[in-house]
């Protein structure tokens, strides 16, 4: 792994595990066992590292969001797709843990983050439309906007909520828990198949988190 990639890799680990605000460029160079000057050669301080990590997160998330077109046509598809979205967010979770503070410090990233959230919201709208066309959901159009807002609140603030919990969840367990929470939001719109689908979802969730 080249030095630049090592810097990004170790910085992401430190930010995710110990918090971004607690780390300095010197901390990162110490963790890499390189001189601060070597780090500065590749990145002009911690701010540049954060922006590079956001570039990567934004690129990967947009690929995931745009890859949903025509590919989510069942409840099972939706479960897997939500897991992929949440797994990507978890990989860059430091952006979400103190989201307001971080975006206040980086106004340029705040603009890009809001644009990405807007694309995520459009994707959720599209997925719900596809599931409705496939008769998987029976969703009154008047309720769709409120449902999308509920889903977006969960997808955006699930990590912040978990940090306030007294329970400790590893990554996969937390992701499955959050997918289940989102799926529960659409159960009322599953029609006659809703009860059977819910029973299957609960069994899958219990198996995944046991």
């Amino acid at each position: 792994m080249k030095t630049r990639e090592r810097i990004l890799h170790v910085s992401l680990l430190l930010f995710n595990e110990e918090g971004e605000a607690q780390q300095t460029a010197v901390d990162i160079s110490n963790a890499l066992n390189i001189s601060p000057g070597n780090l500065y050669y590749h990145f002009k301080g911690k701010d540049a590292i954060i922006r590079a990590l956001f570039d990567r997160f934004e690129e990967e998330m947009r690929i995931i969001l745009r890859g949903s077109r025509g590919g989510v046509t069942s409840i099972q598809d939706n479960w897997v797709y939500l897991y992929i979205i949440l797994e990507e967010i978890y990989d860059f979770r430091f952006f979400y843990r103190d989201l307001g503070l971080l975006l206040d410090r980086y106004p340029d990233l705040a603009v890009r983050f809001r644009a990405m959230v807007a694309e995520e919201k459009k994707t959720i709208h599209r997925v719900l439309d596809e599931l409705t066309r496939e008769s998987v959901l029976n969703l009154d159009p008047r309720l769709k906007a409120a449902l999308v807002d509920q889903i977006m609140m969960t997808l955006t603030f699930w990590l912040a909520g978990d940090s306030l919990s007294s329970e400790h969840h590893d990554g996969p367990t937390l992701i499955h828990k959050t997918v289940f929470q989102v799926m529960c939001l659409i159960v009322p719109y599953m029609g006659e198949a809703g009860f059977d689908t819910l029973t299957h979802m609960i069994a899958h969730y219990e198996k995944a988190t046991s």
Side-chain angles (χ1 to χ4, degrees), residues 32-97:
L32 286 157
N33 198 27
I34 63 174
S35 69
N38 194 353
L39 185 145
Y40 193 79
Y41 173 80
H42 296 278
F43 296 98
K44 309 305 181 187
K46 188 177 80 169
D47 289 356
I49 295 173
I50 289 173
R51 288 186 169 87
L53 288 172
F54 188 83
D55 288 345
R56 184 164 297 182
F57 172 57
E58 181 182 46
E59 179 183 7
E60 292 176 3
M61 182 59 85
R62 290 195 185 281
I63 290 172
I64 291 170
L65 294 177
R66 293 167 186 175
S68 70
R69 295 181 181 275
V72 183
T73 58
S74 69
I75 293 300
Q76 291 77 16
D77 290 342
N78 195 43
W79 183 292
V80 172
Y81 187 60
L82 286 170
Y83 191 96
I84 292 170
I85 291 175
L86 291 169
E87 192 172 44
E88 178 67 19
I89 291 172
Y90 190 81
D91 286 346
F92 293 86
R93 56 193 175 277
F94 79 93
F95 284 120
Y96 286 79
R97 286 232 166 97

Side-chain angles (χ1 to χ4, degrees), residues 73-76 131 134-138 183 186-202:
T73 58
S74 69
I75 293 300
Q76 291 77 16
L131 292 174
E134 295 292 329
S135 300
V136 176
L137 298 182
N138 182 16
M183 295 298 291
I186 68 173
V187 166
Y189 309 103
M190 291 181 187
E192 295 180 359
F195 180 78
D196 289 340
T197 302
L198 178 61
T199 301
H200 177 75
M201 282 168 45
I202 292 173

Side-chain angles (χ1 to χ4, degrees), residues 119-134:
E119 184 168 351
E120 189 176 347
K121 191 171 185 177
K122 288 181 181 178
T123 299
I124 299 302
H125 270 283
R126 185 174 64 247
V127 168
L128 292 177
D129 285 342
E130 290 174 354
L131 292 174
T132 300
R133 280 196 299 272
E134 295 292 329

